[in-house]
Amino acid sequence: MKLVKVNPAYSFNAVDRLVNDFFLQGLHADRYARNEISVKPASNIYDLENSVRIEMQIPGFSKEQVKITLDNDLLIIRGEAAKAEESASNYSRIEFKTQGFEKKFKLNEDLDREKIQANFANGILILTLEKREEVKPVVRNIEIA
């Protein structure tokens, strides 16, 4: 069973992330400030016996800000950051900013498009994608005659 990620997230290497974040916020600070560059949230994918489970880490978002769309074989997860009315003169330092995200997953034919469940709690989005009946492994003991 394959689940192909369309837009790969940042590298897990800490040095790569540091360099990427520097250039993302440094060279493209104007685009970053206007939310034209989206973040790719970290995700875990589990291939279980009867389903595939995707967990995405999206702290700072409510479930109303997250939209999940299935477009044929493409599962699209988007998060819209809340628009804050803020003036730069009110802050002496800004070290983080919540911004929107988008992540796409290409689904294979083994997954049932009609049986997708989503739950959201404590900044973790959990998607459960059931496998089709004909794909689920059949495990049974066979007696020797």
Side-chain angles (χ1 to χ4, degrees):
M1 208 299 298
K2 292 183 197 173
L3 184 70
V4 181
K5 190 167 31 170
V6 174
N7 288 333
Y10 282 139
S11 169
F12 286 109
N13 184 324
V15 174
D16 287 346
R17 278 190 90 153
L18 180 65
V19 171
N20 286 340
D21 287 346
F22 170 77
F23 285 109
L24 177 67
Q25 294 178 13
L27 295 178
H28 303 291
D30 58 333
R31 290 178 61 207
Y32 182 78
R34 292 190 309 260
N35 285 338
E36 291 178 4
I37 299 175
S38 66
V39 174
K40 307 291 186 241
S43 59
N44 297 328
I45 301 172
Y46 302 95
D47 188 359
L48 305 171
E49 185 176 332
N50 296 320
S51 64
V52 171
R53 179 178 165 140
I54 302 173
E55 298 176 348
M56 288 185 69
Q57 197 176 46
I58 48 175
F61 285 86
S62 67
K63 70 178 188 177
E64 292 78 22
Q65 293 173 295
V66 179
K67 303 294 180 228
I68 304 168
T69 308
L70 182 62
D71 183 5
N72 293 319
D73 292 341
L74 200 58
L75 183 68
I76 305 166
I77 304 165
R78 288 186 183 98
E80 297 295 327
K83 301 288 182 190
E85 299 296 324
E86 55 189 46
S87 170
S89 62
N90 293 338
Y91 295 96
S92 60
R93 183 181 194 138
I94 298 174
E95 291 190 356
F96 72 91
K97 182 178 180 179
T98 303
Q99 70 180 98
F101 68 88
E102 180 177 282
K103 200 156 187 179
K104 299 178 182 179
F105 298 92
K106 183 168 174 39
L107 306 180
N108 70 10
E109 63 279 352
D110 295 347
L111 300 172
D112 190 342
R113 306 308 189 259
E114 301 300 320
K115 295 183 180 176
I116 299 176
Q117 298 174 348
N119 295 306
F120 184 77
N122 299 321
I124 306 290
L125 175 67
I126 300 173
L127 296 164
T128 304
L129 298 91
E130 295 292 325
K131 293 182 181 177
R132 294 180 191 238
E133 288 296 324
E134 61 269 11
V135 179
K136 292 180 183 176
V138 176
V139 179
R140 62 185 175 117
N141 293 325
I142 301 172
E143 292 186 31
I144 301 173

